[in-house]
Amino acid sequence: MSSVTRDRGSQSPETFSYDDTIVKWFVIATVAWGAVALLLGVTIAFQMAHWKVNLDLPWLTFGRLRPLHTNAAIFAFCGNAIFAGIYYSHQRLLKARLYSDLLSKIHFWGWQLIIVSAALTLPFGITTGKEYAELEWPIDIAITVIWVVFAVNFFGTIIRRRERHIYVAIWFYIATILTVAVLHIVNSLELPVSFLKSYSLYAGVQDALVQWWYGHNAVAFFLTTPFLGLMYYFIPKAVNRPVYSYRLSIIHFWSLVFIYIWAGPHHLLYTTLPEWAQTLGMVFSVMLWMPSWGGMINGLMTLRGVWHKVRTEPSVRFMATALTFYGMATFEGPLLSIKSVNAIAHFTDWIPGHVHAGTIGWNYMLIAGILFYLVPKLWNTELYSKKLGHQQFWFATIGLVMYVVSMWIAGISQSLMWSAMDDAGKLVYPNFVETVIKITPMYWMRAIGGTFVLISFVMMIFNLYKTAKSGKVEEITYEAYPIDDSSLEPNATPHRVLEGLPMIFSVLSLLAILVGSAIEIVPSLLADQYVVKVSAIKPYSPLELYGRDIYVKEGCYTCHSQTVRPLGHEVVRYGKASTAAEFVYDHPFQWGSKRTGPDLARVGGKYPHMWHYKHFWDPREVTAGSLMPRYHWLFDQKIPFNDIAPRMRVMQKLGVPYSDEEIQGASLSARTQAKEIAQELVQSGVPAKIENMDVVALIAYIQRIGVDYGSIEDDLVAGDQETVVEEAE
Amino acid sequence: MKQEVLRAWDMPWLPIVALILFVVFFGAYVFWAYRKKNQTLFQKISMIPLEDAPQIKKGSHNEAR
């Protein structure tokens, strides 16, 4: 109930104004970074269709640009849109100006600085190598500080509000702020080697578990809950009707925050826990459909009686379409988490197709709808061109459909070709590149679809620019009564009272999230206790460790996985299924999530050094039809032999059993191993100076991957034979 | 791999506790949301986004932020 409409006797209303300047800044940042994110997306899409688009420039290669694209899309584009929408709606729902203009400005410029830092580091290979959390430790700290600034500004506004009730949209914002903080801090724990280099605190399986707890819930609490909050505010505003069912919104909120964060274990439960636990995970994945679709239905049903606005108003059209794609993506997500479906879809292009149905279909479409509502309001004018808005809609929709359909076709084709076996149990397509060549036309179709989406975005920028230019900004003053006990109606229910106590409400929300987190994060944090340590698994040599850092720097994990699943065709194609013991020294883990190229878990020793040398110079020399970029700069950059010891020292602190003597002799050891590799290459006609170059270190690392595990298997076999002999005696 | 790690996990009570908590809380807020007594209140609350604070000319009342 609005406090203004209540009888306050002799009490006078207060006057105030909203800080819309900060909202405008975030709106401008949204469209600017959105264009950058889409341009990067289109660029890497064409790079996947043809390797020459990498232009032989290190900072333009796919492996470096892909993390920049994902960070720009999630944190720059969607992040700025979230802040714009929250700051606009939060003030109006609470009838109060933001807590501090200064904090708002620090928030804005701090966030832009973080984005610029990402743009200045990722293309240069400065990365942690953890998907969607690639930014190095100083930027991680900056993110934490700015997030706290945002939280103080947000909760401070709640404290000084003039509306007692906290509308459901703000519940979603609270869940977002609290959960993102927990996710970011836990996943970003790392130990610095230098100002721009660190190693993850976690290793191998534990790192994978923590990373995908973060990855799953980053989608939930950065790309879903804040946008649902925005949906609950902006759709009613756009159609001038209250939300279809406030009751449903309550159930939607509590169910979503409770289930979403602990539905994450369906990633873990895939071929993991005992049967009862798998069933539990499956049930909760299916349960996630209910709150997701509850929200979608609530949003769409809010349009009851005004469906004609979907035809006439670009903002409503975009919002309705966003909800439709939200429904599709949240159906597909749980579907993909089902074990048998996941066996087909994992590591294929189906996954990027699913992800983009969410980020373009749900996030971009909703942002477009919100901006078409917001910009005319902020600049006090009318939308420049509804016709252009509708044309933009069709460009975006057609482009998205081209993207998603091409990735479905590519993903299913890949999966079927990877797993195809003949009657003799041999692979029908033993050469991985055959499957790449087959789906390349789909990569072209995806790139063209992405271009359509980019064009639609440029149309929106033009439309919004013309709209803002035609507007005239006026300082508007509002009035509202301060809240006191009289704003709480007689016989208020306990929950109603609770809503008036935002801090306690926030704590309860946090508890709901933490209970769910416990299911996934507790076993994750304790995982290393359950990994059997095997003496045959040795730490990387100094040169291999540095070579691994090059692997991380070049973003090889964006196209190559390093884990063989216990599936028949994978074992036939790559070798023995991976085991947890193999990765105990991998800070960070490098399993990847996509196989544009083949898995590398068993690549060590498979080819001679010369094969790798040629492969890094030009992959087409050894694999006709390969899409991999050339890495010429690895042949010119010298190995910093003296910088390897500090890396080993940090690894030692993280539990990798390097002795002090090994660390002191790191440089000499690395030089010796480099010389050995170079000698073999020189015999094949390579110049002798190659022994000091980065490519040798990378070859050393590649040749080491999976090698130790081979000796474990031999030991076990030998051990079994000994047991058999002992029993016979 | 995850399987071999999590198979050794010795806290099966953890998901069970969470499941019980979820069921109890879910029942509680469904009951609360669908209580007939709260219907009128929810209808009023749902109007909050549509009830903008009245605009006035600057300086006519107590100035506050």
Side-chain angles (χ1 to χ4, degrees):
Chain A
M1 181 182 290
S2 168
S3 51
V4 177
T5 57
R6 203 186 313 283
D7 178 16
R8 296 304 187 96
S10 58
Q11 194 177 27
S12 300
E14 294 176 342
T15 61
F16 59 96
S17 60
Y18 296 129
D19 182 4
D20 284 341
T21 304
I22 198 68
V23 180
K24 286 179 193 166
W25 287 7
F26 275 117
V27 164
I28 293 166
T30 301
V31 292
W33 290 119
V36 172
L38 284 169
L39 184 61
L40 285 165
V42 169
T43 304
I44 60 174
F46 277 106
Q47 285 177 340
M48 291 192 80
H50 201 287
W51 64 273
K52 282 188 177 175
V53 186
N54 289 278
L55 301 180
D56 283 344
L57 294 169
W59 45 275
L60 268 185
T61 45
F62 178 85
R64 297 194 190 184
L65 283 193
R66 192 263 192 178
L68 186 61
H69 163 64
T70 52
N71 277 273
I74 298 170
F75 301 111
F77 174 46
C78 292
N80 278 303
I82 290 167
F83 300 137
I86 287 180
Y87 276 166
Y88 182 86
S89 59
H90 198 51
Q91 296 183 85
R92 280 153 179 86
L93 287 169
L94 299 175
K95 296 183 176 64
R97 189 182 176 90
L98 287 171
Y99 177 66
S100 164
D101 289 4
L102 178 63
L103 287 181
S104 299
K105 286 177 182 140
I106 293 172
H107 178 194
F108 176 80
W109 289 112
W111 196 255
Q112 308 318 312
L113 193 64
I114 287 164
I115 296 165
V116 171
S117 304
L120 290 177
T121 53
L122 294 174
F124 296 98
I126 299 165
T127 170
T128 63
K130 293 178 72 159
E131 277 186 86
Y132 313 116
E134 287 93 349
L135 302 177
E136 267 297 354
W137 68 272
I139 309 175
D140 282 340
I141 292 173
I143 291 170
T144 309
V145 171
I146 295 302
W147 200 258
V148 170
V149 168
F150 171 44
V152 171
N153 211 12
F154 179 89
F155 286 108
T157 310
I158 292 179
I159 289 168
R160 69 194 311 178
R161 71 195 189 278
R162 298 184 180 83
E163 169 57 59
R164 176 171 288 276
H165 183 78
I166 297 177
Y167 182 68
V168 68
I170 298 174
W171 300 8
F172 281 97
Y173 303 157
I174 290 172
T176 301
I177 291 171
L178 297 176
T179 315
V180 168
V182 174
L183 294 168
H184 173 68
I185 290 169
V186 174
N187 188 52
S188 300
L189 294 176
E190 52 218 355
L191 215 53
V193 176
S194 63
F195 183 62
L196 292 173
K197 176 68 188 168
S198 66
Y199 290 123
S200 172
L201 207 62
Y202 317 104
V205 174
Q206 188 183 28
D207 199 27
L209 292 167
V210 174
Q211 161 64 23
W212 286 109
W213 165 77
Y214 163 87
H216 171 84
N217 293 306
V219 172
F221 287 87
F222 207 89
L223 299 178
T224 306
T225 53
F227 285 93
L228 288 170
L230 297 176
M231 181 271 284
Y232 274 119
Y233 177 79
F234 282 102
I235 288 189
K237 291 296 284 184
V239 298
N240 199 29
R241 300 179 73 89
V243 65
Y244 170 66
S245 169
Y246 197 77
R247 286 170 160 172
L248 186 55
S249 73
I250 293 167
I251 295 172
H252 179 204
F253 172 77
W254 285 109
S255 303
L256 198 81
V257 297
F258 215 105
I259 296 175
Y260 219 134
I261 200 152
W262 69 311
H266 62 222
H267 293 278
L268 308 181
L269 296 179
Y270 175 69
T271 71
T272 58
L273 288 179
E275 206 56 41
W276 65 267
Q278 290 195 28
T279 307
L280 187 69
M282 195 78 81
V283 167
F284 269 85
S285 298
V286 174
M287 282 169 69
L288 195 54
W289 273 325
M290 289 193 286
S292 300
W293 277 47
M296 176 195 68
I297 291 165
N298 214 0
L300 285 176
M301 291 299 283
T302 303
L303 302 175
R304 69 198 185 286
V306 286
W307 280 105
H308 62 278
K309 288 195 174 184
V310 175
R311 289 198 310 273
T312 58
E313 298 295 327
S315 63
V316 180
R317 171 175 280 199
F318 273 105
M319 288 178 187
T321 311
L323 280 166
T324 310
F325 274 106
Y326 175 67
M328 287 168 60
T330 55
F331 178 83
E332 195 180 28
L335 182 77
L336 288 168
S337 76
I338 295 170
K339 193 175 166 185
S340 48
V341 181
N342 196 278
I344 299 168
H346 199 48
F347 291 130
T348 74
D349 281 303
W350 188 348
I351 304 303
H354 163 63
V355 169
H356 284 80
T359 47
I360 298 175
W362 163 237
N363 297 116
Y364 165 40
M365 295 277 192
L366 191 66
I367 290 169
I370 289 170
L371 292 179
F372 279 138
Y373 171 83
L374 206 52
V375 169
K377 292 280 180 195
L378 288 171
W379 274 270
N380 194 27
T381 184
E382 294 291 319
L383 184 64
Y384 170 68
S385 170
K386 287 185 179 180
K387 188 180 175 185
L388 190 59
H390 293 308
Q391 288 169 346
Q392 175 204 342
F393 169 82
W394 285 113
F395 264 88
T397 305
I398 291 168
L400 178 56
V401 170
M402 285 174 73
Y403 190 117
V404 173
V405 170
S406 62
M407 290 300 97
W408 281 341
I409 295 169
I412 293 170
S413 301
Q414 281 171 321
S415 184
L416 293 176
M417 292 179 80
W418 292 346
S419 59
M421 298 176 88
D422 61 20
D423 293 342
K426 290 183 179 176
L427 294 168
V428 176
Y429 305 98
N431 198 346
F432 189 91
V433 78
E434 288 180 272
T435 69
V436 177
I437 292 166
K438 196 76 178 174
I439 60 171
T440 302
M442 294 299 110
Y443 285 170
W444 282 108
M445 187 169 160
R446 183 249 301 268
I448 294 166
T451 306
F452 269 65
V453 177
L454 176 62
I455 291 169
S456 79
F457 202 87
V458 172
M459 292 163 83
M460 182 178 76
I461 292 175
F462 178 75
N463 209 354
L464 294 178
Y465 169 73
K466 295 292 281 184
T467 303
K469 205 178 172 192
S470 68
K472 190 180 175 186
V473 180
E474 291 177 356
E475 178 75 18
I476 302 171
T477 307
Y478 301 87
E479 68 172 9
Y481 287 97
I483 54 169
D484 54 24
D485 290 342
S486 65
S487 61
L488 189 65
E489 60 277 354
N491 305 319
T493 61
H495 194 281
R496 182 90 172 93
V497 177
L498 178 67
E499 289 156 10
L501 303 168
M503 290 309 150
I504 295 177
F505 184 87
S506 301
V507 169
L508 286 176
S509 301
L510 183 64
L511 281 176
I513 294 155
L514 291 180
V515 167
S517 294
I519 299 305
E520 188 163 356
I521 199 63
V522 169
S524 301
L525 293 175
L526 299 178
D528 60 337
Q529 295 178 13
Y530 305 115
V531 177
V532 179
K533 300 281 192 307
V534 178
S535 59
I537 303 289
K538 303 289 185 194
Y540 296 107
S541 73
L543 188 67
E544 290 158 4
L545 181 68
Y546 176 67
R548 190 170 199 274
D549 287 344
I550 296 173
Y551 185 95
V552 171
K553 179 182 175 182
E554 297 301 343
C556 303
Y557 65 90
T558 58
C559 287
H560 295 280
S561 60
Q562 273 193 31
T563 179
V564 181
R565 294 182 294 173
L567 301 173
H569 64 89
E570 289 205 8
V571 173
V572 171
R573 181 180 296 278
Y574 300 115
K576 291 173 290 189
S578 296
T579 183
E582 288 184 72
F583 305 101
V584 290
Y585 304 131
D586 283 6
H587 297 267
F589 81 111
Q590 288 289 281
W591 296 355
S593 60
K594 173 77 172 36
R595 284 178 184 157
T596 305
D599 184 272
L600 301 180
R602 301 282 168 257
V603 76
K606 190 174 179 182
Y607 306 105
H609 296 332
M610 195 60 199
W611 187 95
H612 291 295
Y613 180 92
K614 286 181 178 175
H615 192 234
F616 291 128
W617 179 258
D618 185 353
R620 268 89 18 216
E621 282 193 22
V622 288
T623 309
S626 171
L627 295 175
M628 185 170 144
R630 298 191 291 206
Y631 289 87
H632 285 182
W633 53 94
L634 297 180
F635 297 75
D636 298 324
Q637 291 171 354
K638 288 190 174 178
I639 300 168
F641 289 104
N642 293 329
D643 290 349
I644 299 177
R647 298 169 197 242
M648 293 174 74
R649 184 71 67 188
V650 171
M651 284 289 183
Q652 188 189 43
K653 287 178 185 166
L654 291 171
V656 180
Y658 288 125
S659 66
D660 290 341
E661 292 73 30
E662 284 175 318
I663 295 172
Q664 284 163 9
S667 177
L668 183 63
S669 165
R671 286 176 195 277
T672 306
Q673 190 179 2
K675 199 166 191 172
E676 287 168 7
I677 294 170
Q679 276 174 351
E680 189 181 313
L681 294 172
V682 170
Q683 284 170 3
S684 304
V686 171
K689 66 169 188 177
I690 199 68
E691 76 174 63
N692 294 325
M693 301 304 170
D694 273 357
V695 68
V696 172
L698 185 55
I699 290 172
Y701 169 63
I702 298 285
Q703 294 288 38
R704 175 66 186 279
I705 301 174
V707 169
D708 287 356
Y709 183 54
S711 65
I712 293 171
E713 191 70 357
D714 292 339
D715 289 347
L716 288 176
V717 172
D720 289 345
Q721 287 172 343
E722 283 169 15
T723 308
V724 171
V725 171
E726 283 169 12
E727 284 174 0
E729 287 175 347
Chain B
M1 260 181 311
K2 289 172 183 171
Q3 186 171 18
E4 67 185 85
V5 173
L6 294 175
R7 196 183 283 138
W9 186 47
D10 54 2
M11 288 185 288
W13 50 267
L14 191 59
I16 294 170
V17 168
L19 180 63
I20 292 168
L21 278 173
F22 172 75
V23 171
V24 169
F25 275 93
F26 184 79
Y29 57 71
V30 168
F31 171 76
W32 175 73
Y34 280 89
R35 250 175 114 187
K36 211 167 188 179
K37 190 180 169 185
N38 292 335
Q39 192 175 0
T40 317
L41 177 65
F42 291 151
Q43 283 173 351
K44 287 178 181 171
I45 293 169
S46 68
M47 295 302 291
I48 287 178
L50 307 179
E51 290 175 346
D52 290 328
Q55 295 180 21
I56 59 158
K57 286 181 182 175
K58 205 169 185 180
S60 61
H61 286 286
N62 302 335
E63 285 285 348
R65 280 167 55 87

